[in-house]
Amino acid sequence: MTPVDLNQPCPLRALRSFGHAERSKIAAMRATSGVKITSPLLAAAGPETRAALLSRASMLAVPRGATIIAQDQPAERLLILLQGSVGLSTAEDGGAATMVEIVAAGDALSIAAALLQVPHSVSAVALAPCRLLAIPAEDLRAAMAADAGLMRAAMEQMTRQWRLLMEQVVDLKTRDATQRAARFLLHRLPAQRGAVEIPEPRGAIAARLGMTPESLSRALHGLEAAGLLRLHGRRVDVPDRAALQRISLPRAGASQGARRV
């Protein structure tokens, strides 16, 4: 992914087509954001397309626990997460919500609903203080119709989201609680060793992994007792990625026997 810095100027040829109010809005957005984002959507768009989308976009700041998207509501905007962490959940007929995925900075929320002009299939709640970029869905669809790079990036993101859901199914069928916890940490570890920051509540992570908070706690402390990690509040130190990788692999013969604990 190519980093897109909102503090860097858009090409002059892209801004000349806007009026003074629109140019002022983009400048104000840069001045108040101070955020470098890694967004496949904005990075893939042409300079003129990106400038046009930013001129119609708005910045949002939401506290931990705030509802960002309500399930079954119209998808009138595409939200790109700049900072923080967001949990996507679904509930049927007023039942308890089920955590579907945890979204990291750079990803768009419910992009399929915005493109297909259908209601949101999930709710989105801030698991940490968040900053988001809101782009009107109508403007996004028009931009994609004219910008092949933007359309391709949207398709790639939806494909990645589909693959993540398939990986969840495989994890639940082939890995126990400890293995799923190890795999979750591996996805967040940027190098062969180092620290993993976990800003989300443990209950949200447990729900995402298909287990109870107590089971997650036992899994993490079991990995710590084995010398595979060290717990420091919201930070987890991993001294050896390869060792954690080995423990995350499904055991021989594992299939539908993996338990949801």
Side-chain angles (χ1 to χ4, degrees):
M1 290 181 198
T2 304
V4 178
D5 188 352
L6 290 179
N7 296 315
Q8 294 297 318
C10 291
L12 181 60
R13 65 179 182 276
L15 291 178
R16 279 175 177 160
S17 61
F18 298 124
H20 174 74
E22 291 169 315
R23 291 197 299 269
S24 297
K25 181 178 179 180
I26 294 176
M29 190 183 301
R30 293 186 185 122
T32 57
S33 69
V35 178
K36 287 186 178 181
I37 63 175
T38 303
S39 167
L41 287 178
L42 294 181
E48 290 81 5
T49 301
R50 185 160 59 245
L53 290 175
L54 287 175
S55 75
R56 301 295 302 275
S58 57
M59 296 284 292
L60 304 176
V62 297
R64 185 193 303 269
T67 297
I68 301 170
I69 290 174
Q71 183 177 342
D72 297 327
Q73 293 301 304
E76 298 175 345
R77 303 177 298 179
L78 178 74
L79 297 173
I80 298 176
L81 182 61
L82 306 183
Q83 285 183 338
S85 179
V86 172
L88 304 181
S89 62
T90 181
E92 297 294 333
D93 299 326
T98 299
M99 183 71 69
V100 176
E101 186 56 273
I102 295 177
V103 179
D107 277 345
L109 309 183
S110 200
I111 185 172
L115 295 185
L116 296 175
Q117 298 179 261
V118 297
H120 292 292
S121 60
V122 295
S123 295
V125 175
L127 301 179
C130 294
R131 300 189 72 176
L132 304 102
L133 185 70
I135 300 174
E138 183 177 358
D139 294 333
L140 179 73
R141 291 190 294 269
M144 286 183 177
D147 191 314
L150 183 62
M151 176 63 79
R152 183 168 55 252
M155 294 174 64
E156 289 174 354
Q157 177 157 336
M158 286 188 287
T159 300
R160 286 194 300 271
Q161 291 173 346
W162 176 83
R163 285 176 60 87
L164 284 173
L165 290 176
M166 290 301 296
E167 287 180 5
Q168 282 194 47
V169 174
V170 172
D171 283 351
L172 289 171
K173 286 182 173 291
T174 65
R175 289 178 169 87
D176 62 25
T178 298
Q179 292 167 329
R180 296 201 297 275
R183 186 169 167 81
F184 176 82
L185 295 174
L186 286 167
H187 277 301
R188 296 200 171 187
L189 187 64
Q192 291 305 309
R193 64 182 65 191
V196 179
E197 295 294 334
I198 304 180
E200 303 90 355
R202 292 288 175 88
I205 296 173
R208 157 64 177 81
L209 296 176
M211 63 182 77
T212 64
E214 293 78 12
S215 292
L216 176 60
S217 180
R218 286 195 297 270
L220 291 175
H221 283 95
L223 291 170
E224 184 177 39
L228 297 173
L229 54 82
R230 292 186 294 272
L231 301 172
H232 303 283
R234 295 189 180 276
R235 192 185 84 245
V236 179
D237 291 332
V238 179
D240 187 344
R241 181 191 183 99
L244 191 63
Q245 175 75 39
R246 286 192 294 271
I247 202 69
S248 73
L249 296 176
R251 296 187 178 89
S255 59
Q256 297 182 12
R259 294 180 294 120
R260 180 184 177 92
V261 290

